[in-house]
Amino acid sequence: MSEYKPLVVVGDVLLDEDIEGVSTRLAPDAPAPVVDVTGDQRRPGGAGLAAALATRGGRDVVLVTALGDDPASEAVRRSLRGRVRLVELPLNGTLPVKTRVLASGRPLVRIDRGGGDPGEPDAAVRDTLRQAHAVLVADYGRHTASAVREHLAAVAPKVPVVWDPHLKGDAPVPGSRIVTPNAAEAMALCRGDGDSLRAFAERGADLAERWRVATVAVTLGERGVLLTRPGAATPMLVPAPYRAEGDACGAGDCFAAATAAALADGALPEEAVQRAVAEAAAFVAAGGAGNPSLWRTPPSAPRREAPDADPFLLAEQVRARGGTVVATGGCFDLLHAGHVGLLESARRIGDCLIVCVNSDESVERLKGPGRPLNPLPDRVRVLAGLGSVDAVAVFDGDTPAELLSRLRPDVWVKGGDYSAEDLPEAEVLRGWGGQAVVLPYLDGRSTTLLARRAAEAATPIRPPGR
């Protein structure tokens, strides 16, 4: 095992196939579209996709699943090799294969084949779960979670467990930290009146009480995620940071994996869901599970770039290997918890994070005399020393628009005190197909407040006798 405790994913792996093409006519013998195939791809689905997504950023991930000797199982092993460590249960039967036929990116039909039952778990499964930093159960109704249920129940009181349920699967084990049904699953599992937020809030609270879990996060698509607790009258609604246009296939897996990763990092459930909503939106905008860059190269272990890493060369190298370049910017005068949380979340979106920092002259124009409190070399050195930051670039203007035109990042990130529509950088990014996003920001943290508190604390103490 790694010296770091891994994130363990337990669940049913599938093999997903996409047959892509164009359709311009109907078949002569039936009113069915004819698809001229232009390409196809195969990739792990279900718990396999969730595990692969959880590795982003170099995280150590172990996948507990049932695999057999069939060609589909071998294809999954090849795809996951170098990404995740496999702890296998025997599979009695064949691995399920789900084939989508798409025309111009739109699914026309799905064909399901194969299936089997998992065998008994061995001691390796028990030991793996005992050493987990967090556990994600990706239940696709194929009974892997059922086979491992006893071991999952044993670790739930000790480590965070995120359970992504399925209507054909088991109920979550009591004590799970977060359960993530989607809207259709919540409606099927718990009757209610309509699809209003109030109806889903009641369903979520009822399910949390029925399952005896800490929280239920009902995913509502474009409306975001509703976080509910047993008996709580007022839920928390975490809206999506923007409307993501793209293939939503795998979005639920991305949300669940990001939630589990955040809990493993010590986030509270509310913080974990905020991060996961933003990551799922970025995932959909980038093409969902069908995005080829997800599978081109295995993620490397976390590595630190030198503080003087060339941001332009780094961006070019990441793009060349099919990766996603993420950038964010700001003054970063006094680095505080809000900054750190933002940078960590931004880094998880892609394959590198470049921070664009205002020069001293730019900060003074924006913030007024007396700012920055820390000169540019100090600010750059502190940022470059963070594990989430791969490179730092400096700009002199009031906005980083000119710098972004040279970097050409795929994603531009700002904190939650902005709206994506108000960002002047958003229009610049559209020039090369980039996307501006807003991530949640820790309230009550700002350089101005820190400076004010420091000034108040520095009030001179009068010497005795005077």
Side-chain angles (χ1 to χ4, degrees):
M1 299 293 290
S2 167
E3 62 177 322
Y4 301 103
K5 291 185 175 182
L7 190 159
V8 177
V9 178
V10 177
D12 310 303
V13 172
L14 319 168
L15 181 63
D16 286 343
E17 294 182 328
D18 279 354
I19 300 175
E20 301 168 344
V22 294
S23 178
T24 58
R25 64 193 190 281
L26 296 177
D29 56 343
V34 175
V35 178
D36 294 314
V37 176
T38 58
D40 59 80
Q41 60 172 309
R42 308 174 87 200
R43 60 184 180 272
L49 174 61
L53 292 171
T55 64
R56 294 192 293 181
R59 186 179 300 277
D60 186 14
V61 175
V62 179
L63 173 60
V64 177
T65 192
L67 294 173
D69 298 326
D70 55 294
S73 294
E74 289 299 327
V76 165
R77 290 188 184 98
R78 287 194 301 271
S79 295
L80 293 177
R81 187 174 296 128
R83 295 177 177 274
V84 304
R85 290 184 286 132
L86 287 171
V87 175
E88 297 185 19
L89 282 70
L91 178 64
N92 303 315
T94 61
L95 199 72
V97 180
K98 296 191 174 185
T99 304
R100 294 193 306 171
V101 180
L102 301 96
S104 302
R106 297 184 179 275
L108 293 182
V109 66
R110 196 183 87 185
I111 303 165
D112 290 0
R113 293 170 288 159
D117 296 314
E120 290 297 319
D122 58 15
V125 172
R126 179 198 62 209
D127 294 341
T128 297
L129 286 168
R130 285 179 177 176
Q131 298 179 63
H133 201 46
V135 176
L136 166 61
V137 179
D139 189 355
Y140 272 74
R142 301 281 177 166
H143 312 304
T144 301
S146 303
V148 188
R149 186 175 183 84
E150 179 182 347
H151 300 309
L152 291 169
V155 301
K158 305 169 186 176
V159 301
V161 173
V162 175
W163 196 293
D164 191 5
H166 193 279
L167 292 178
K168 295 181 180 180
D170 274 4
V173 295
S176 296
R177 189 72 56 87
I178 302 179
V179 183
T180 62
N182 60 31
E185 290 164 343
M187 294 178 75
L189 289 165
C190 195
R191 293 183 179 180
D193 295 326
D195 61 353
S196 67
L197 288 179
R198 179 175 180 176
F200 280 117
E202 292 174 350
R203 291 186 183 103
D206 288 346
L207 289 172
E209 189 168 354
R210 179 197 307 175
W211 288 331
R212 292 183 290 155
V213 300
T215 51
V216 169
V218 184
T219 58
L220 302 174
E222 295 178 354
R223 287 193 283 180
V225 174
L226 203 61
L227 194 65
T228 61
R229 297 182 184 276
T234 305
M236 169 183 278
L237 177 64
V238 181
Y242 57 92
R243 182 171 181 173
E245 300 287 346
D247 188 352
C249 180
D253 297 298
C254 180
F255 173 78
T259 300
L263 291 180
D265 291 339
L268 296 172
E270 294 81 1
E271 295 172 321
V273 169
Q274 286 182 336
R275 292 188 201 177
V277 168
E279 290 198 33
F283 172 81
V284 172
N291 180 2
S293 68
L294 289 176
W295 307 100
R296 279 179 189 152
T297 55
S300 58
R303 63 183 177 87
R304 292 293 305 121
E305 299 286 342
D308 58 348
D310 184 332
F312 303 100
L313 178 60
L314 174 63
E316 182 179 339
Q317 291 172 338
V318 171
R319 275 194 295 270
R321 61 176 184 257
T324 298
V325 178
V326 182
T328 189
C331 300
F332 298 101
D333 197 357
L334 288 179
L335 205 65
H336 52 72
H339 291 138
V340 173
L342 174 70
L343 294 173
E344 289 176 344
S345 297
R347 179 60 178 83
R348 294 189 188 97
I349 294 174
D351 299 287
C352 75
L353 174 62
I354 300 171
V355 177
C356 303
V357 61
N358 299 70
S359 68
D360 290 346
E361 294 76 11
S362 175
V363 175
E364 184 175 9
R365 288 196 305 272
L366 292 172
K367 303 294 185 179
R371 298 285 299 274
L373 300 172
N374 284 311
L376 179 64
D378 289 358
R379 290 185 284 129
V380 170
R381 184 176 180 84
V382 170
L383 286 167
L386 295 176
S388 56
V389 176
D390 296 291
V392 180
V394 179
F395 64 95
D396 291 314
D398 293 339
T399 75
E402 182 179 349
L403 175 60
L404 292 177
S405 296
R406 296 174 59 200
L407 281 174
R408 299 174 69 85
D410 301 293
V411 183
W412 171 251
V413 173
K414 292 294 285 185
D417 48 353
Y418 296 85
S419 68
E421 293 75 15
D422 296 335
L423 293 177
E425 301 88 357
E427 182 62 33
V428 178
L429 265 77
R430 279 193 283 269
W432 57 85
Q435 177 64 57
V437 302
V438 175
L439 296 186
Y441 200 72
L442 289 176
D443 291 335
R445 277 80 167 182
S446 75
T447 299
T448 301
L449 290 175
L450 283 176
R452 186 177 301 158
R453 288 202 298 269
E456 292 171 352
T459 303
I461 300 176
R462 297 179 62 185
R466 293 191 181 185

